[in-house]
């Protein structure tokens, strides 16, 4: 499985092509739209979320509610494009007319300046239209297809917020994934605890009032994985590294960790590793899960637990110093309508990119043309592993 | 640039093939051996480091002290193999004889059990021989070639230890890279501060005495990068994610972060982003470097600062519970000769895998057949960026 | 540069996402439509070509007539989809209703049977909708972008027909590429000779009358290539092999050859190789071009000459024996509306896939973010090669 | 499965690393050596073949006669290197000394000139050492591993000569693969017919006497393939194109065709396509095999039949005109010891590169970690296809 996305933030549409999804997987538009809707929710989102009501048009690879094995193409139309046609249109610009809303002032923390240099764009809108986190909608669409596939294979994926602006959600590690999903869906900040929800909402509101922005930590939790996905035999086959890559590739993410992660630097080995147990029914299991479901680049069969940190979104009402690329004069970075906190949405994005990476790993290690064949092979493998 | 490694821990040799290095890059065996030697150093290494004195035999792609543009092959022979020929030999085992030193007891925290299930190995030696961190020597060899190339392009890479067992090395962020390199090379634990060096040494000795192991945090610092390497246009082109991948793929690494990393979850946006300045001489610059040299998946031209966390090595003298895969009986995980702390060595490995990733990025974005052509193109680009 | 396509023959649309095109390349919709139009022309096309008037909607990556460096997405809508919504719709099919136009009779020479087995499709329409040559329109769109880029770099690509049903077009090897383009565009069978045009038209008409189909040979000719593209250093870097791959991947192509190709099996070496000359003005050149522009997997700087053979399209009016997959009864393969000869169209497809492969090679070996930078680097390299 | 090779013609050794071979595949050094030996045979080979007696040292990934699932590394030592140490040594050349046997005279038909330009080599030995067909020994080693795997899966691969210098071997298409293998192994020119063998030997001797060289056509025939390998869903998944790529990447190959290949341009569709039959025992089959085992980029289950054309080797005793790159003076291309015909050896190389591509395709579509699991999955799939 692989995918490419295309489309600019204020362009006509976002497009995703996903290649390698097995045939005969049941799927509906509603399942994808549900994921898109969750990405758009969250306390503290700016006005744009109200303008866009993302839905995915299925334009290839799906027929009568089933995948064909052909590439799947999904389109998220931008209903607001009609107001942007002269700014973002594809046809050569009429001579003598001026392009509106050009940008010569790079915002700190954004791709604007580096992207301008790299691609030779002096109108930095040419950068920001693509580097915008708007693109994550197209990635969520790809991940939504992956989630449907995983669900059919008995693999559940939950994404939620663990921390915002230093407020850490306490939670019971033994909480079931169903409860994690239910609680996070019910929380306007996508976290697992009612009290923390209120604190986080307040922190978001306060940041907004101050013209500042705040970041946080999202966690993805995956249950139902077979042991032995990924590999140690070559450095580029380690599945935790692949998942780490995909988390790090989300806009504004600055770090990733598995299980206890950076905490492992402070503990003794005897308090880090997970002892191995066995019983007739379950086969092998770990008594704890500090390593977050991975040993040697492979799944252990325990839940995958991965955290990613998102920096505060850089589009601030409280201005930062920058330099106009034409005049070379300093200025205070421009105020655009913006959210003060995007961590709840980012936790949904992270859930979906991790789901894609896992579905991809499965499709690479099991027969992945025809879904029932894949499912049977995975079931056989699970049995084999249980009896090892 | 790409590379593959092969070889088992107690096998004949480790082999690395590196493809895509430009021709006419001056390089000597001593440069590679120097990197290999640094990987083997460090207070608290077990006896094996004394047995192996790694050197790289250049068996392809280099002639008269210059690269040919052909694939480079490097071999690290295992001098101890003579004692392992009947255990690790490639020929079919004589019938009736028993293989010595088979392993049926998976160690917690290692690839043993998951690898056995995946590849159907009931003698878990078939797993541990390849999953061993011994393989990182082959990766260091590849990184050493990359470092030579970067050095010629005016890009310096330093790797050192920031934390061991909760002991965090204080240091001056404005310290020059030359000083970082000098200090870390002088420290037996590869860190930047004399007092911390002593504390870390003691922690390592204490852990050894207790039969326990300890982990830590390594940091890689890269200076001289042009702005605009990597890209935001597609999720899989982000250079920080690629570097993150390569760090996460090092044995026993559980997390990675850029700049202030996870700390970004606790700060306001105004205290996270780096303001942009400009002056005639330098062109654009950032007033701080909290984002660790990356915005929008691209380099900013500021130093790259990336940290990785290594868990305590799981081969413990203090035993953990596990299960024999034949008898299904519980046992206390086997004691093998082992280091109690591998973080100093891991910081050298991390330095080299990051160097490779950066050299790869440069070779993908600039003409990379003939080194003088690459150097000229990079110089021109730097000038272009300075005048943007 | 890379691309993916999606879409079914009677589905809503074809979609192409092209990644890695440099920014600031001037491009218009008309340039792409022109290529699409040429694919649809040609004597002897069936009725479907009249129904579809392919045009490409630019839905990402292009703004005000220039590429952004972002992925380019192109959409070819299927105007006829309104008649196919219940047959090809994406929503689950209402229970109790029967799907019309299901296919249980695999056509010899098509993907029908093998695809059905692989993907578990018992309605073979699920195969033929994607395996149809209709998809080549999406590939031509990708190639059209490549051609625009090559044109700006002084590289011209011509595709034309050399043979249909054994009728071989005679032509002067010294004919300029401009003339090749002009003549082939003027010929309704896309060949270079008036008399042959008439013979080929007649052969096509005769085949149609007989309810049979005929194949032929297309040739692509590329002028303006610098020497040294591709490489001998690793088997998977040979540019002729890459071009060969892309030709072989066109529907119904069964062979590919460069220069004199299979004729080389019959000649002495002294009559195969191209002697090397040099003069001050041109630098190095070959006195002949029997090797079709390649030595050692690299361009020689001479024109690239590559031929591909297309089998007669298998959708025949003259039926072939096959077996119904439900009843296992033999039948005579179903008659669908069809062309009797698709070679003229295929020569346009081949021209575009070869163009893409060449543009890709250039973008991999030269700096490919910003088009003016790429152009300058290529110009410098040409000068360097001339002075070697 | 993937592989990289390294090593120069007169360097220390050739190295191959093969990644992705399943564990628990039984394999011996003798199986690989047998392939290497066959590559070195053939009437009309030059003296070098007597100097080199290629054998593969297994330096990783194999233990006690079985694959480990780890990367396999194979080394072919160059016993003659002792005579080349000062010419090909890796250490910087002592100042004041002159390098012997430098090359400033590019040979027509070789990579010499284009490679020199690309990599900036003025001593063209730096090119020819790697572009030499000597490297195909490393590819044969990779293919030998693939062949062992295929054999265990009931897939047989034969490679033989069909034509040399216009002499075409007549043969019975219904000849069994066992007979093809036996006959070709017995023929000193690796062909299938005794009379032709004598004619070809004479042609080779005559060419040698004339100081000329001759080319020919090799064919690879694969039996036991399941239907449905490869795919039509994306252009880069077509298995025939992948095989075509790998054939085109063999040194001196100028064309490739499947089944009747270029002949398809001359026949009516009704004489090209293969009618489909079915019976209880075999399931579906084709009544003929003109398409060489492929429809829609997928295997049909019929034997794969692929031909490749090799140009006469360009190292001629009969000189061709070229230009000295230092003096720019014309000269008659240098005479090196050389074979007059390498087609028999090339047919062995082709057999092995095709085998690798097929094993790779299987390892991508079936579970490929543990060989017994792969074998069972393939057997189940074959049964499924038979009952479709």
């Amino acid at each position: 499985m692989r995918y490419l996305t295309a489309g600019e933030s204020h362009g006509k549409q976002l497009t995703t092509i996903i290649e390698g999804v097995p045939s005969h997987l049941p799927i509906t538009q509603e399942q994808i739209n549900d994921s898109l809707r969750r990405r758009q929710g969250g306390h503290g989102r700016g006005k744009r979320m109200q303008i866009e009501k993302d839905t995915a048009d299925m334009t290839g690879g799906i027929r009568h509610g089933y995948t064909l094995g052909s590439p799947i193409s999904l389109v998220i139309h931008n209903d607001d494009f009609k107001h942007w046609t002269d700014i973002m249109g594809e046809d050569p610009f009429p001579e003598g007319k001026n392009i509106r809303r050009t940008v010569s002032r790079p915002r700190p923390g954004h791709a604007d300046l580096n992207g301008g240099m790299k691609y030779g764009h002096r109108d930095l809108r040419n950068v920001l239209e693509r580097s915008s986190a708007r693109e994550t909608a197209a990635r969520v669409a790809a991940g939504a297809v992956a989630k449907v596939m995983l669900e059919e294979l008995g693999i559940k994926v939950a994404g939620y917020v663990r921390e915002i602006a230093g407020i850490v959600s306490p939670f019971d590690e033994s909480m079931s994934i169903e409860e994690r999903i239910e609680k996070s869906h019910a929380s306007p900040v996508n976290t697992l605890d009612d009290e923390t929800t209120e604190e986080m909402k307040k922190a978001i509101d306060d940041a907004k009032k101050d013209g500042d922005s705040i970041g946080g930590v999202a966690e993805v939790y995956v249950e139902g994985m077979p042991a032995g996905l990924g590999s140690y035999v070559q450095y580029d086959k380690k599945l935790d590294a692949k998942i780490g890559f995909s988390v790090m590739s989300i806009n504004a993410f600055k770090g990733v960790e598995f299980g206890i992660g950076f905490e492992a630097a402070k503990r003794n080995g005897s308090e880090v590793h997970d002892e191995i147990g066995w019983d007739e029914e379950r086969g092998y299991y770990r008594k704890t899960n500090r390593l977050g479901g991975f040993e040697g680049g492979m799944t252990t069969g325990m839940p995958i637990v991965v955290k990613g940190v998102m920096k505060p979104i850089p589009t601030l009402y409280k201005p930062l110093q920058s330099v106009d690329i034409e005049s070379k004069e300093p200025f205070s970075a421009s105020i655009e309508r913006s959210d003060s906190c995007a961590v709840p949405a980012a936790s949904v994005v992270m859930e979906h990119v991790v789901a894609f990476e896992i579905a991809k790993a499965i499709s690479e290690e099991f027969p992945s043309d025809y879904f029932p064949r894949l499912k049977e092979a995975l079931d056989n493998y699970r049995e084999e592993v249980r009896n090892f």
Side-chain angles (χ1 to χ4, degrees), chain A:
Chain A
M1 283 170 64
R2 51 181 166 165
Y3 71 99
L4 291 175
T5 76
E8 279 68 44
S9 181
H10 298 96
K12 275 185 194 169
Q13 64 181 54
L14 295 173
T15 310
T16 307
I17 296 182
I18 313 163
E19 230 275 334
V21 180
S23 65
H24 289 266
L25 177 72
I27 192 164
T28 66
Q29 202 196 14
E30 189 43 38
Q31 289 173 304
I32 298 170
N33 289 349
D34 186 53
S35 287
L36 294 174
R37 203 177 299 124
R38 284 179 53 222
R39 193 196 73 97
Q40 293 193 286
H43 186 80
R45 306 304 304 275
K47 264 181 289 181
R48 177 129 197 223
M49 290 301 115
Q50 271 78 61
I51 299 176
E52 302 152 10
K53 286 286 177 209
D54 291 343
T55 56
D57 190 13
M58 292 163 153
T59 59
I62 293 168
R63 185 182 175 216
H64 300 332
Y66 285 89
T67 55
L68 292 174
S70 311
I72 295 173
S73 50
L74 300 171
V75 172
I76 302 170
H77 291 284
N78 175 14
D79 294 335
D80 198 33
F81 179 63
K82 54 185 175 292
H83 303 120
W84 287 82
T85 44
D86 63 333
I87 296 172
M88 292 300 297
E90 71 268 30
D91 293 325
F93 208 70
E95 264 184 78
K97 261 186 93 173
N98 283 331
I99 301 175
R100 286 185 304 127
R101 302 190 71 158
T102 59
V103 178
S104 66
R105 302 183 148 197
R107 298 159 304 164
H110 276 285
D112 301 1
L113 180 59
N114 313 312
M117 289 165 164
K118 180 187 188 77
Y119 291 106
H121 291 313
R122 297 205 72 85
D123 179 0
L124 301 179
R125 174 164 303 284
N126 289 333
V127 177
L128 64 89
E129 284 288 336
R130 178 69 190 160
S131 64
S132 159
R134 175 87 192 111
E135 188 264 352
T136 57
R139 297 186 71 186
V140 166
V145 175
K147 281 195 67 179
V148 170
M149 176 171 142
L150 294 178
E151 184 82 23
E152 294 278 331
L153 295 171
I155 297 168
K156 289 202 169 73
V157 185
Y160 40 81
V161 170
R162 284 295 305 274
E163 178 177 350
I164 283 180
I167 303 160
V168 181
S169 147
F171 82 100
D172 178 10
E173 282 203 28
S174 67
M175 193 186 281
S176 76
I177 191 161
E178 290 77 11
E179 200 177 340
R180 289 172 201 233
I181 291 170
E182 194 190 334
K183 278 194 187 271
S184 63
H185 286 206
S187 161
V189 290
N190 212 26
T191 194
L192 302 179
D193 176 80
D194 291 344
E195 209 168 313
T196 317
T197 293
E198 291 313 308
E199 287 177 61
M200 287 178 174
K201 279 173 61 180
K202 189 172 174 320
I204 292 169
D205 293 338
D206 287 352
K208 189 151 211 163
K209 242 179 295 171
D210 292 354
D212 216 327
S213 62
I214 50 182
V217 174
E219 180 169 291
V220 176
Y221 186 89
V222 186
E223 219 174 75
M225 293 295 288
L229 266 154
S231 183
Y232 60 90
V233 296
Q234 194 73 238
Y235 73 98
D236 60 4
K237 294 180 107 169
K238 299 193 178 182
L239 181 56
D240 44 2
K242 290 180 186 180
I243 291 174
F245 175 89
S246 101
V247 171
M248 291 292 309
S249 74
I250 304 171
N251 303 40
F253 273 59
K254 298 301 288 182
V256 63
E257 60 180 14
F258 287 83
I260 60 168
F262 277 88
E263 176 68 21
K266 301 185 195 310
R267 294 199 199 169
N268 284 341
S270 46
E271 289 152 358
V272 167
H273 297 286
D274 302 308
E275 297 192 319
I276 299 172
W278 180 88
D279 65 36
E280 200 117 355
E281 196 195 350
R282 281 187 286 175
Y284 299 93
Y285 61 91
R286 300 302 185 285
K287 297 177 185 172
T288 51
N289 189 24
R290 295 142 174 175
L291 296 181
F294 281 100
E295 282 171 339
M298 291 171 292
T299 50
T300 61
M302 296 294 284
I304 294 176
V305 187
V306 53
K307 288 191 191 67
V309 60
M310 187 196 207
K311 67 179 185 189
I313 19 178
T315 314
L316 301 170
Y317 293 86
K318 195 177 225 172
L320 291 169
Q321 290 294 306
S322 182
V323 175
D324 189 294
I325 62 169
E326 296 308 338
S327 67
K328 304 290 191 287
E329 291 301 317
F331 72 97
S332 289
S334 69
I335 294 160
E336 293 227 354
R337 74 182 168 189
S338 162
D339 310 335
S340 65
C341 178
V343 182
S347 69
V348 177
V349 176
M350 182 171 158
E351 170 190 328
H352 285 80
V353 304
V354 170
F356 191 88
E357 216 52 54
I358 290 170
K360 182 170 187 260
I362 288 174
S363 79
E364 282 166 3
E365 304 195 17
F366 293 91
S368 61
D369 299 326
Y370 175 48
F371 186 74
R373 203 183 290 140
L374 164 57
K375 189 164 162 41
E376 192 187 346
L378 186 61
D379 287 344
N380 289 347
Y381 176 70
R382 278 174 169 142
E383 190 63 18
E384 198 184 313
V385 155
R386 226 176 50 82
N387 296 326
F388 182 76

